[in-house]
Amino acid sequence: MSTGGRLTTHVLDTTHGRPGAGIAVTLYRVEAEQRIWVLDARTNADGRCDVPLLAGETMKPGCYELVFKVGAYFRALGVALDEPAFLDVIPIRFAISAAEQHYHVPLLVSPYGYSTYRGS
């Protein structure tokens, strides 16, 4: 039975005012405070993943964590970062309560700050 819901993300590079292209993203399901790997993805030229991270049968209620490897992204652009970088890997933990809905988790990021929200 397909739920019709889906999980998507995208990254906006607020330092350069453009999509965060080529950022490695890992999705985990969190059960009893243990992270269980679900998938690895990479953002495309528009800062989005090419397909939903969860959809249909894989879209289930629960706690999840998206991990964005932004340090490698900024280093590849030639941004001078402290070592270790202030923000190297950004985890965002969130919950899906209604599997039939669209959950969009955007990341707005610079080398020294980020924000996220439940988008549409």
Side-chain angles (χ1 to χ4, degrees):
M1 179 176 116
S2 177
T3 65
R6 66 191 188 283
L7 170 65
T8 57
T9 190
H10 77 273
V11 182
L12 298 173
D13 174 347
T14 59
T15 298
H16 299 100
R18 63 184 180 210
I23 296 176
V25 180
T26 301
L27 176 66
Y28 297 94
R29 183 172 171 90
V30 180
E31 295 179 7
E33 290 304 312
Q34 291 191 18
R35 296 188 318 173
I36 301 163
W37 176 87
V38 176
L39 61 82
D40 291 312
R42 189 166 292 276
T43 58
N44 61 23
D46 194 36
R48 300 174 185 274
C49 296
D50 289 329
V51 297
L53 303 173
L54 297 174
E57 295 299 318
T58 65
M59 183 70 172
K60 297 177 182 171
C63 184
Y64 292 87
E65 188 171 282
L66 278 169
V67 178
F68 299 86
K69 295 181 181 170
V70 299
Y73 164 77
F74 284 115
R75 284 183 195 96
L77 290 178
V79 175
L81 300 177
D82 295 335
E83 290 300 335
F86 181 71
L87 294 174
D88 191 34
V89 176
I90 298 175
I92 300 174
R93 192 169 284 194
F94 60 96
I96 292 174
S97 58
E100 70 280 359
Q101 294 182 9
H102 179 196
Y103 286 77
H104 184 65
V105 183
L107 175 67
L108 288 71
V109 66
S110 76
Y112 295 97
Y114 69 93
S115 65
T116 189
Y117 56 93
R118 182 174 174 190
S120 60

